[in-house]
Amino acid sequence: MIEFLKEWLMKPKVVKPAEPRMTDNELMVRLKVFIGVCLALTLIGIVFVVLYSIMFVTQPLNAISPIDAKFFELIIPIATFLTGTLSGIMLAGTGENAALAGSNASKAAAAPKPVAPPPPPPVKKEPVMDIDDGEIG
C-alpha cells in the first residue's frame, strides 16, 4: 500500500489547457476592445461630470466661477485627446494585416536581409578586325 501511494504521489501531473491558446489576431482584437471600452468610459465620465457641474452647481450671476473655468480649461484637451484616440482605434482596419501591422513590421525589421548573389564576371571579347578589301560600295 505504501508503495502504491509513493508511486501515485511521485507520478508527474499533466495539466491540459481547457481551451487552445489564442492567436495573435485574437489577442490584438481583445486588446483593442479593452482599450476602446476604457477610453469610452473615461470620456462618458468626463461628459457627465461637466454636465453636472454646469447644471447643478450654483454659478455667479454673469460669469463662470474661476475654479470651474480652470476645470474646463483642463478637461477640454483631455476630452479632445480621448475622442481622437477612440475614433482612431475604432476606425482602424479589422483585418489580420491591420491588427498585426506592428507585429509584422517588427518581424520584418528583425529578419535577416537576403543577400543578392554577386554579379557574374565580365566576359572578355576578342576585338574583331574588319578587313578592307579596297572596294567601294
Side-chain angles (χ1 to χ4, degrees):
M1 180 73 171
I2 294 176
E3 294 299 322
F4 175 74
L5 287 175
K6 282 183 183 178
E7 182 181 326
W8 183 72
L9 288 173
M10 295 301 191
K11 187 170 114 178
K13 307 273 191 279
V14 177
V15 179
K16 294 181 182 177
E19 296 178 15
R21 299 189 98 187
M22 286 188 269
T23 64
D24 288 345
N25 193 22
E26 291 170 336
L27 288 172
M28 188 62 69
V29 168
R30 281 196 179 193
L31 178 66
K32 286 173 71 172
V33 167
F34 178 75
I35 291 172
V37 167
C38 288
L39 291 176
L41 290 176
T42 305
L43 187 61
I44 289 170
I46 288 173
V47 167
F48 279 116
V49 166
V50 168
L51 288 176
Y52 177 82
S53 68
I54 289 173
M55 292 175 156
F56 301 112
V57 176
T58 306
Q59 299 290 333
L61 197 53
N62 293 329
I64 190 168
S65 69
I67 191 118
D68 283 344
K70 291 292 182 186
F71 175 72
F72 289 133
E73 191 177 304
L74 177 69
I75 290 295
I76 288 172
I78 294 172
T80 305
F81 170 75
L82 287 175
T83 304
T85 305
L86 188 59
S87 64
I89 289 173
M90 294 302 129
L91 291 176
T94 56
E96 183 175 338
N97 291 338
L100 299 175
S103 175
N104 291 341
S106 64
K107 285 179 186 174
K113 304 291 184 226
V115 178
V123 178
K124 293 184 180 180
K125 294 184 180 179
E126 296 293 326
V128 178
M129 298 180 80
D130 287 334
I131 299 176
D132 189 13
D133 58 358
E135 292 183 19
I136 299 178

